[in-house]
Amino acid sequence: MILSQKHPDSHALNTPQKLTLPHRHYRRRRSYRPKKSQNNVNHVMASEEEKKSVFDVESAKEVVKELRASFAAGKTKSYEWRSTQLNAMLKMMEENEPQIVAALRDDLSKPELESSIYEVAMVKSSCRVALKKLKHWIMPEKAKTSLITFPSSAEIVSEPLGVVLVISAWNYPFLLSLDPVIGAIAAGNAVVLKPSEIAPATSLLLARLAADYLDRSCIKVVEGAVPETSALLEQKWDKILYTGNGRVARIVMAAAAKHLTPVVLELGGKCPVIVDSDINLQVATRRIIAGKWGCNNGQACISPDYIITTKSYAQKLVDSFKCELERFYGKNPFESKDLSRIVNSNHFARLSKLLDEDKVSGKIVHGGERDEANLRIAPTILLDVPQDSLIMTEEIFGPLLPIIQVDKLEDSFDVINSSGTKPLAAYLFTNNKKLKEKFVATVSAGGLVVNDTTVHLAEHTLPFGGVGDSGMGAYHGKFSFDTFSHKKAVLYRGFACDAFVRYPPYSRGKLRLLEALFNGSFFSIIRALLGWFKS
Ligand code: NAD
């Protein structure tokens, strides 16, 4: 069984010229003024003069130069600076929630509840966690030492990396932009944020708010598309955190390699949901719906991508979906205000292609309706699609949910593992203890959830990130701080107890004693010492 993961997005989708957005004013390219307003990158105004200026490699160089100067001056390193910026971000989110909700409505028709919870409340919560724990995170961590360096003491010092770049995606444009920035600030870095041009209203608002609330000499927002991101990627950064598809991730990683810059890649993939039959079906169905259509209408990296269940249970599951979907979104989901729209016409065409494939179009058992003019696709369930279909070989990233049938539920693990790629998240609904254990032991994914979907994202104590094709590195809570810190090893010694055994002339006795020290066993040290004195 082969399930490969390619991100569906084509590069052409990202160029501003090809953007097809229903709102005329977002088609406008905004500009950058490197010379006249050094500290004003964030203020991307729409005057005629500004429209002419371009953010090119020279502009990117200047931005990095300015931030390096601020970092070198030690501005970002103090606890006071970090906590002031985090508090400012908290205030920014608190004072501008209606504008944020409106921008997300413009970009995605995102329902207010989803915007308020998944974008505003989650960013505020990350700020609060960082503020509460910052003093503790910053403190050097004591480390044990051994006989080898006796007498000594040691600590691990978290030091900021320097100037870092955050490139974010369009689907959760506030959360995916600011959550990494919180980590970068907490760790004491200067940071450039490049929001996604596919969510232009949010990008513009982010730029304006960051300029108004945050320290412009150390935190900048650069708006733009491929040319602007490429200009940024030519610069030397101390870390790049990129969120988006795997194709662009390769471009980011190749650019970073030129400067030996470490990267965190937050990517996607096909997140499977295994559904057993010994469950509370209504609760399971609702939790899958919440993670799929209740998360930006399936346009979320950890949304369920496909379901695996047994042949004998599949129809029951389909019936339950029909019932709960109608309860949540009504008979005509196009009239529901609780579903985001498809982000743009390119993505609408991409999703339509998945549905229109010959071997798939007859497999729709619920939904399937499309409204191209308003970029709406109804929650759609497909049963028994072939594994070599586009819908099963590409990340869906939209409101379509195929169900795969297996003879025994245990076969699900092979379905997932034989895809050759590791998902960002995998879910299992069961009450069977053995199945849970096997799931955790055999399925490799960024994160696993048993009996729910997507909620692990909200736990600050858990690292969020992928593995293999779904990404590398992780963030959230303390993991964000660690991601943007260098863990510096520091060992302290005095001048006493200068072990003569490490110095020439070397001898067999010295070798034995050193081996015994590395061995760490008290008795072998005594034995080596006795042998030494005997010889
Ligand atoms: P996108 O089109 O917004 O692109 C992401 C960023 O890459 C943008 O800032 C864009 O300007 C930049 N970019 C695009 N083309 C580029 C190029 N040629 N060179 C340099 N930069 C370029 O977002 P997307 O890729 O469509 O995002 C969707 C994908 O991201 C899905 O695969 C999804 O699963 C994944 N995703 C992952 C996470 C996560 O946290 N792991 C979160 C959201 C989305």
Side-chain angles (χ1 to χ4, degrees):
M1 213 168 268
I2 296 169
L3 306 176
S4 71
Q5 290 174 197
K6 278 185 279 163
H7 185 267
D9 205 358
S10 87
H11 174 64
L13 300 183
N14 293 343
T15 59
Q17 293 82 356
K18 297 206 175 180
L19 271 180
T20 316
L21 291 158
H23 307 290
R24 36 131 195 95
H25 50 289
Y26 300 131
R27 297 184 61 127
R28 186 185 66 216
R29 259 288 292 288
R30 289 172 298 278
S31 60
Y32 167 68
R33 296 186 301 170
K35 297 265 158 33
K36 286 191 182 162
S37 104
Q38 290 280 314
N39 292 341
N40 216 10
V41 180
N42 321 43
H43 277 310
V44 198
M45 311 292 282
S47 74
E48 279 312 307
E49 181 221 330
E50 282 173 316
K51 272 186 207 166
K52 283 181 207 136
S53 65
V54 211
F55 185 90
D56 56 11
V57 175
E58 279 311 307
S59 326
K61 208 180 270 177
E62 281 194 47
V63 168
V64 175
K65 197 172 150 197
E66 188 193 340
L67 293 195
R68 286 226 175 272
S70 300
F71 182 77
K75 257 187 123 169
T76 61
K77 287 187 186 162
S78 71
Y79 168 80
E80 286 68 31
W81 183 86
R82 304 183 202 196
S83 57
T84 306
Q85 295 311 307
L86 292 171
N87 272 314
M89 191 180 301
L90 196 54
K91 192 166 173 234
M92 170 179 114
M93 299 306 285
E94 272 160 3
E95 292 181 350
N96 294 280
E97 184 164 341
Q99 290 90 316
I100 294 169
V101 168
L104 291 164
R105 196 183 303 120
D106 282 346
D107 283 335
L108 291 146
S109 297
K110 201 172 263 203
E112 183 175 344
L113 181 140
E114 284 184 41
S115 298
S116 293
I117 297 304
Y118 302 136
E119 308 248 22
V120 180
M122 282 184 71
V123 170
K124 286 200 294 194
S125 162
S126 290
C127 279
R128 287 198 191 100
V129 169
L131 279 164
K132 194 169 158 208
K133 307 272 183 183
L134 194 56
K135 273 197 176 136
H136 180 64
W137 292 347
I138 288 175
M139 290 236 297
E141 206 182 306
K142 286 272 165 239
K144 279 189 177 167
T145 55
S146 67
L147 278 174
I148 297 163
T149 57
F150 180 82
S152 67
S153 65
E155 61 185 11
I156 302 161
V157 175
S158 293
E159 76 176 6
L161 293 169
V163 181
V164 302
L165 173 64
V166 172
I167 304 172
S168 80
W170 54 266
N171 59 330
Y172 282 83
F174 252 89
L175 180 70
L176 299 176
S177 296
L178 295 182
D179 221 4
V181 171
I182 290 168
I185 293 172
N189 297 279
V191 53
V192 169
L193 165 66
K194 213 300 288 172
S196 174
E197 70 280 15
I198 308 276
T202 315
S203 175
L204 181 59
L205 183 61
L206 266 168
R208 286 191 174 150
L209 292 181
D212 287 348
Y213 284 82
L214 305 175
D215 178 352
R216 298 178 196 181
S217 68
C218 304
I219 304 163
K220 291 188 187 295
V221 176
V222 173
E223 284 197 278
V226 178
E228 291 80 1
T229 320
S230 307
L232 287 169
L233 284 173
E234 278 200 29
Q235 310 311 308
K236 180 176 165 57
W237 302 92
D238 297 303
K239 190 143 204 176
I240 300 174
L241 188 148
Y242 161 82
T243 303
N245 68 71
R247 186 188 55 77
V248 175
R250 286 164 173 82
I251 297 173
V252 171
M253 205 170 171
K258 286 194 187 136
H259 302 285
L260 283 182
T261 297
V263 290
V264 174
L265 302 176
E266 294 286 338
L267 314 178
K270 292 186 82 64
C271 302
V273 188
I274 304 171
V275 182
D276 199 357
S277 52
D278 72 329
I279 53 166
N280 182 327
L281 181 56
Q282 189 185 43
V283 172
T285 309
R286 289 178 168 193
R287 289 179 182 179
I288 295 170
I289 294 174
K292 180 76 177 178
W293 298 281
C295 281
N296 201 26
N297 206 3
Q299 301 169 106
C301 55
I302 49 171
S303 267
D305 188 277
Y306 65 102
I307 288 182
I308 312 172
T309 193
T310 55
K311 284 184 178 135
S312 53
Y313 198 62
Q315 193 53 52
K316 219 173 157 187
L317 186 60
V318 170
D319 293 342
S320 178
F321 270 125
K322 287 183 179 189
C323 171
E324 297 302 324
L325 281 169
E326 192 177 317
R327 204 191 300 261
F328 289 174
Y329 302 116
K331 277 205 186 316
N332 179 3
F334 291 156
E335 284 172 4
S336 170
K337 296 206 174 356
D338 298 334
L339 281 167
S340 297
R341 68 164 155 76
I342 306 306
V343 65
N344 60 29
S345 58
N346 292 305
H347 278 274
F348 187 91
R350 177 184 65 74
L351 289 161
S352 296
K353 197 171 150 202
L354 301 185
L355 277 183
D356 291 340
E357 201 184 1
D358 281 348
K359 47 189 159 191
V360 162
S361 52
K363 305 285 185 180
I364 298 172
V365 290
H366 181 79
E369 301 85 3
R370 281 171 260 172
D371 172 0
E372 193 171 358
N374 293 303
L375 298 175
R376 301 267 173 191
I377 300 180
T380 299
I381 296 174
L382 304 99
L383 186 60
D384 206 20
V385 293
Q387 262 102 46
D388 62 352
S389 55
L390 283 176
I391 203 167
M392 283 311 296
T393 51
E394 292 189 354
E395 180 185 2
I396 296 172
F397 218 63
L400 323 176
L401 185 64
I403 300 177
I404 300 289
Q405 302 180 83
V406 285
D407 292 325
K408 297 190 306 312
L409 209 64
E410 286 74 11
D411 297 343
S412 312
F413 302 128
D414 291 337
V415 174
I416 298 168
N417 291 334
S418 66
S419 72
T421 54
K422 298 178 178 183
L424 182 60
Y427 309 112
L428 167 69
F429 285 86
T430 189
N431 275 312
N432 181 328
K433 189 166 173 271
K434 282 224 167 83
L435 206 65
K436 287 181 201 172
E437 284 168 4
K438 193 164 177 205
F439 177 61
V440 175
T442 58
V443 173
S444 180
L448 304 179
V449 182
V450 175
N451 291 333
D452 211 330
T453 67
T454 67
V455 288
H456 60 307
L457 178 93
E459 286 299 344
H460 290 288
T461 51
L462 292 175
F464 183 75
V467 55
D469 290 58
S470 55
M472 61 183 72
Y475 70 123
H476 283 194
K478 169 82 161 37
F479 303 98
S480 296
F481 175 85
D482 289 342
T483 280
F484 287 107
S485 300
H486 164 59
K487 301 289 169 184
K488 189 159 67 181
V490 185
L491 188 87
Y492 297 96
R493 297 205 70 197
F495 291 98
C497 298
D498 193 35
F500 57 92
V501 284
R502 59 195 277 219
Y503 303 129
Y506 299 144
S507 68
R508 191 126 202 97
K510 283 183 177 179
L511 175 66
R512 291 241 170 75
L513 193 51
L514 278 171
E515 277 175 345
L517 282 168
F518 273 90
N519 213 341
S521 146
F522 181 71
F523 289 109
S524 42
I525 294 168
I526 298 291
R527 218 174 321 138
L529 276 173
L530 287 175
W532 169 281
F533 288 124
K534 244 192 243 170
S535 69

